[in-house]
Amino acid sequence: GVFCTRSLDLTKIKCIGYDMDYTLIDYKMEVWEARAYHYSKEELRAKGFPVSGLKFKPELVCRGLIIDTERGNLLKVDRFGYVRRAMHGTRMLSRAETYEEYGRSSTVDVDLRSDRWSFLNTLFSVSEGCLYMQLVDRLDSGALIADSVPPFDPGRCSSYSQLFRAVQRALFRAHVQSTLKS
């Protein structure tokens, strides 16, 4: 380990590993997220997903939001569990639509151990959330299936939760294959 109270001779150090918690490097967040988005999109393109024309829009998503993978919604939930704002795909839901989906006076039981919810809290969250919400729009319009090409498997992306898993896997592959870091 590296300790701040000791001197360390870095002349023979060839590589420094770091974690995503800002311990050693100050990230240029938008550049990092744009690269993650690009490489995830390319992973999906290789699987036959119709991703042409999609552009990274960092203003669409921010860390601290929650994805409801069963309904294809992005939620802003307060500390008491009330859904304050919601989007379906890239469209903001009206207050009436939000109440219809999640209730007016009851709290939403967000158990982050459940596969239904994904909390956007890492440096990959913005790119993951943005790409997912854009693909929800394509799933809803029918373009995800209609415009796909082999080896796309419609049976594995016919629901919002399946689509979310596909986006998660694409981001993971981009990360572990080091295309993101090169």
Side-chain angles (χ1 to χ4, degrees):
V2 176
F3 301 95
C4 63
T5 58
R6 297 185 181 177
S7 60
L8 178 65
D9 180 10
L10 294 174
T11 57
K12 295 186 181 184
I13 303 293
K14 294 181 182 173
C15 177
I16 297 175
Y18 60 91
D19 194 25
M20 301 300 286
D21 64 358
Y22 300 95
T23 51
L24 295 179
I25 295 178
D26 184 26
Y27 299 92
K28 293 185 176 11
M29 177 94 142
E30 196 165 317
V31 174
W32 178 261
E33 290 281 8
R35 286 177 59 90
Y37 178 90
H38 170 75
Y39 288 117
S40 299
K41 193 170 88 168
E42 292 308 308
E43 286 288 330
L44 291 171
R45 184 186 318 278
K47 298 286 184 190
F49 280 75
V51 293
S52 294
L54 296 180
K55 303 238 183 292
F56 179 55
K57 296 183 178 176
E59 68 279 0
L60 189 63
V61 178
C62 67
R63 287 192 293 175
L65 300 178
I66 298 171
I67 292 178
D68 179 346
T69 65
E70 285 183 8
R71 296 182 179 176
N73 294 339
L74 185 66
L75 309 176
K76 171 69 175 162
V77 179
D78 70 16
R79 63 185 172 161
F80 302 109
Y82 293 100
V83 176
R84 294 300 179 195
R85 299 186 78 179
M87 291 174 66
H88 181 76
T90 60
R91 182 181 69 82
M92 187 65 67
L93 297 179
S94 69
R95 187 171 302 278
E97 290 172 308
T98 302
Y99 290 157
E100 185 179 318
E101 290 272 337
Y102 298 103
R104 180 180 298 262
S105 60
S106 63
T107 62
V108 175
D109 183 22
V110 178
D111 181 354
L112 294 177
R113 294 171 294 184
S114 165
D115 289 341
R116 176 180 179 177
W117 310 103
S118 180
F119 187 55
L120 302 180
N121 63 350
T122 70
L123 280 179
F124 296 111
S125 295
V126 173
S127 52
E128 178 182 55
C130 179
L131 187 53
Y132 175 67
M133 301 318 285
Q134 291 170 334
L135 289 173
V136 164
D137 288 345
R138 292 201 173 175
L139 179 63
D140 288 346
S141 72
L144 186 72
I145 307 297
D147 298 341
S148 63
V149 296
F152 183 81
D153 181 0
R156 295 185 70 189
C157 285
S158 59
S159 72
Y160 300 123
S161 57
Q162 290 173 326
L163 181 60
F164 183 73
R165 282 192 298 276
V167 171
Q168 270 188 319
R169 283 191 302 268
L171 181 61
F172 179 77
R173 282 192 302 272
H175 182 64
V176 297
Q177 291 173 354
S178 293
T179 53
L180 185 56
K181 298 174 192 173
S182 60

